[in-house]
Amino acid sequence: MDFGAAMFFTDYSMKPAELGQALEARGFESVWAPEHSHIPSSRLTPPAGGGQLGKQYYDVMDPFVTLTAAAMATKSLKVATGVCLVIQRDTIQTAKLVATIDQVSDGRFLFGIGGGWNQDEIESHGAVFKTRFKKMREQIEAMTEIWSKSEPEYHGEIVNVPKMRTWPKPVQKPRPPVIVGGAFRIARGARYVMATAGSRMRAGRHIRTSPNFCRSSGRWRPRPAVIPRVCRSRFSGLPRTPTESNGIAIRASQGW
């Protein structure tokens, strides 16, 4: 099992480079950064866990920028989005972002994705809340075409990419690991799943996955995914900040 730490990076949190170096020195496998573009003042969607939404949700920095800073300050630590709200992002531009950070980190990027829970935030970007998981699946399928082909093209029900040329391509082939994460009961169509802090998933639960989401070596192949347990613990020796996430995520390394 590999251990990774998650942090809401803000202008008052521990710096990405500093945290990355501290985690690498202590044998952690990865650092994870979440994403929220904004929190609408309408606040139509309450937090899944109830209560007030923490200040860090409003203040969190862009994960691709903070993770690049962490990657540049480390040598072996993997950098991961936990999670990237791809449904709120442009498909082609996100494919370039992922390929670029995988290049500058020498193949250390883990692409954690999620469908999101904040309906008014999602709809601010023009996405439809009810069909967000279909859009997410099509976006990853389109990105895989972009990452693996010199002249990719993709046409789905929601996402369309005309025949085009774009570089760079990721270091990892055919793409960086795509990991679906979040607090939900069933992960449909995900080859790999991660549990985030606060989720209600139990350790060791197995889910039989659908063959129509992730590819391996160009072939559709369903595989069971193990839902890892999320522990809450203090980082030994690390300074604590008001927004530090003290969840330590565990994931099974075999097959990733």
Side-chain angles (χ1 to χ4, degrees):
M1 302 291 275
D2 293 315
F3 291 79
M7 168 71 89
F8 276 81
F9 290 109
T10 68
D11 56 359
Y12 46 82
S13 73
M14 195 173 183
K15 299 295 184 182
E18 183 183 2
L19 179 60
Q21 290 174 337
L23 292 173
E24 186 171 66
R26 290 160 175 80
F28 281 75
E29 181 237 17
S30 52
V31 60
W32 299 73
E35 170 174 50
H36 281 283
S37 61
H38 67 294
I39 300 297
S41 298
S42 56
R43 296 299 297 114
L44 298 177
T45 312
Q52 296 295 316
L53 196 63
K55 188 176 185 296
Q56 68 269 25
Y57 284 84
Y58 297 83
D59 302 342
V60 65
M61 294 178 173
D62 183 89
F64 287 95
V65 177
T66 56
L67 292 173
T68 298
M72 295 301 93
T74 56
K75 295 182 178 180
S76 60
L77 187 76
K78 294 181 180 179
V79 293
T81 47
V83 295
C84 175
L85 299 173
V86 293
I87 55 169
Q88 298 181 183
R89 289 178 170 268
D90 177 79
T91 303
I92 298 171
Q93 191 62 50
T94 303
K96 182 177 283 287
L97 277 170
V98 170
T100 301
I101 194 170
D102 199 53
Q103 282 285 344
V104 300
S105 67
D106 294 324
R108 289 185 281 145
F109 182 64
L110 303 175
F111 194 22
I113 64 171
W117 58 269
N118 197 1
Q119 183 173 350
D120 36 351
E121 177 187 356
I122 291 167
E123 292 176 347
S124 294
H125 293 273
V128 178
F129 187 74
K130 289 185 177 180
T131 59
R132 66 194 188 281
F133 288 106
K134 176 183 285 188
K135 180 183 179 182
M136 184 174 72
R137 184 187 69 239
E138 291 188 4
Q139 284 182 289
I140 297 302
E141 291 174 342
M143 288 185 211
T144 300
E145 293 294 301
I146 293 171
W147 294 327
S148 59
K149 296 181 179 179
S150 59
E151 199 167 25
E153 182 179 13
Y154 179 86
H155 301 287
E157 294 182 32
I158 300 175
V159 177
N160 283 282
V161 175
K163 187 173 289 187
M164 56 178 285
R165 295 182 182 183
T166 181
W167 278 265
K169 305 298 183 184
V171 171
Q172 301 176 84
K173 305 300 181 185
R175 64 177 179 207
V178 175
I179 306 165
V180 180
F184 44 78
R185 289 191 176 184
I186 292 294
R188 181 183 177 188
R191 180 174 175 187
Y192 303 120
V193 183
M194 69 176 176
T196 60
S199 78
R200 296 180 176 84
M201 300 182 201
R202 294 182 179 178
R205 177 181 295 174
H206 291 259
I207 292 178
R208 184 166 297 281
T209 61
S210 167
N212 63 354
F213 184 62
C214 293
R215 277 186 253 200
S216 174
S217 303
R219 296 185 303 165
W220 300 108
R221 186 175 62 178
R223 291 183 58 181
V226 178
I227 303 299
R229 181 166 58 92
V230 176
C231 297
R232 291 186 178 273
S233 173
R234 291 180 179 269
F235 298 149
S236 176
L238 298 186
R240 299 183 63 79
T241 69
T243 61
E244 179 175 317
S245 168
N246 62 349
I248 300 179
I250 306 173
R251 74 176 180 87
S253 61
Q254 185 175 2
W256 284 36

